[in-house]
Amino acid sequence: MRIEGLRLYLRDTRLSDLEQRRHWELIDTEWKAWDAPWEYEGLSKEALVLESERYLERLKRRLERSLGLADTGFRVGFEIVLKQKDRPIGWVNCYEITDRFEWTPGINAMGTAVGLVIPAVSDRAKGYGAEALLAYIDYFRTIGYRELYTQTWSGNRAMVCLAERLGFEVIERRRNSLLVRGARYDGLTYRLEL
Ligand SMILES: CC(C)(COP(=O)(O)OP(=O)(O)OC[C@H]1O[C@@H](n2cnc3c(N)ncnc32)[C@H](O)[C@@H]1OP(=O)(O)O)[C@@H](O)C(=O)NCCC(=O)NCCS
């Protein structure tokens, strides 16, 4: 499946994307300082590598299961690809949350939270994040969703700006709930009506 944007498009992740994903998981990892960094705090280098390897393995299994998925089948995420040179620059994905805005593997799910990562610093702040998230939101609108959520933390200015620019509104602020690099930040859940 492919979803058109102006300068980029979203498409299904392929097994051939895994090499690039491995690079972003293990080498070009600056983005992890922004995407739920508290999950990595205090972990040794070895534990981080192990965690990344496990994630890549899960992703590979998920891709293998979804090979040949019909266009009507539900997509958890997509690769973000720049039309110029057909270059992948990141991904969008989603997960379920409960009515307490906590991650759930589907049990007591209240809603769907969307997220995205543009790993290379040189690809950021060029409007690609906004374009990709808009295209992803459109995907959910097309398949009948009436609302979406997104979650971040108050220290992630880029994501806060992006969410607010696209019309997401804060529905829960957990003051000083997150410790990142020695400072306390608010955990934020945003909601968007589609
Ligand atoms: C968050 C992220 C996806 C944003 O993508 P992007 O392509 O850099 O964002 P855009 O260029 O579309 O900019 C969107 C808005 O954020 C603002 N912005 C971008 N980078 C910023 C920064 N470092 N500080 C403050 N504002 C920033 C832009 O000015 C723009 O706001 P505007 O339209 O009001 O001018 C990207 O920075 C990223 O992948 N970061 C690392 C991973 C991450 O944090 N993911 C989110 C997890 S919740």
Side-chain angles (χ1 to χ4, degrees):
M1 176 184 276
R2 175 169 161 146
I3 301 164
E4 290 300 324
L6 215 59
R7 293 173 297 167
L8 55 80
Y9 64 92
L10 308 181
R11 65 150 168 77
D12 288 332
T13 305
R14 302 170 181 153
L15 285 168
S16 56
D17 292 316
L18 286 178
E19 225 14 72
Q20 178 64 65
R21 287 292 196 101
R22 169 169 292 276
H23 176 81
W24 286 331
E25 270 301 319
L26 296 162
I27 315 279
D28 194 358
T29 58
E30 192 275 349
W31 61 275
K32 294 186 182 184
W34 304 105
D35 184 28
W38 51 91
E39 287 181 4
Y40 313 110
E41 293 249 337
L43 292 184
S44 68
K45 205 163 176 246
E46 292 72 26
L48 287 171
V49 169
L50 193 65
E51 188 51 45
S52 293
E53 292 288 2
R54 283 189 183 139
Y55 168 74
L56 287 165
E57 208 32 61
R58 283 198 304 275
L59 180 61
K60 183 165 179 246
R61 283 203 300 270
R62 201 181 80 209
L63 289 181
E64 283 167 347
R65 278 199 306 272
S66 66
L67 282 178
L69 186 66
D71 264 7
T72 46
F74 178 72
R75 263 69 179 171
V76 176
F78 297 95
E79 296 302 290
I80 306 168
V81 184
L82 279 194
K83 290 186 179 177
Q84 198 181 28
K85 295 195 179 157
D86 218 34
R87 181 168 66 87
I89 57 162
W91 64 91
V92 289
N93 61 7
C94 69
Y95 55 92
E96 300 295 306
I97 55 172
T98 66
D99 56 3
R100 301 189 54 177
F101 312 116
E102 277 154 12
W103 177 87
T104 167
I107 304 151
N108 295 329
M110 173 274 297
T112 299
V114 291
L116 76 165
V117 176
I118 297 186
V121 177
S122 56
D123 286 325
R124 292 196 207 138
K126 292 179 173 163
Y128 298 146
E131 230 193 277
L133 194 49
L134 273 173
Y136 195 36
I137 290 167
D138 251 358
Y139 165 71
F140 283 100
R141 193 179 284 117
T142 308
I143 61 172
Y145 279 57
R146 291 286 161 263
E147 61 175 21
L148 281 174
Y149 297 82
T150 193
Q151 297 185 303
T152 190
W153 54 293
S154 53
N156 190 341
R157 299 317 303 167
M159 191 59 205
V160 165
C161 279
L162 176 51
E164 290 177 2
R165 183 180 154 197
L166 298 196
F168 282 89
E169 290 176 1
V170 176
I171 51 158
E172 199 210 32
R173 177 182 293 270
R174 289 195 187 171
R175 287 199 187 277
N176 297 323
S177 61
L178 299 168
L179 186 64
V180 179
R181 299 182 275 281
R184 294 234 153 245
Y185 294 92
D186 301 346
L188 302 168
T189 299
Y190 288 87
R191 179 174 175 275
L192 177 72
E193 223 169 282
L194 303 187

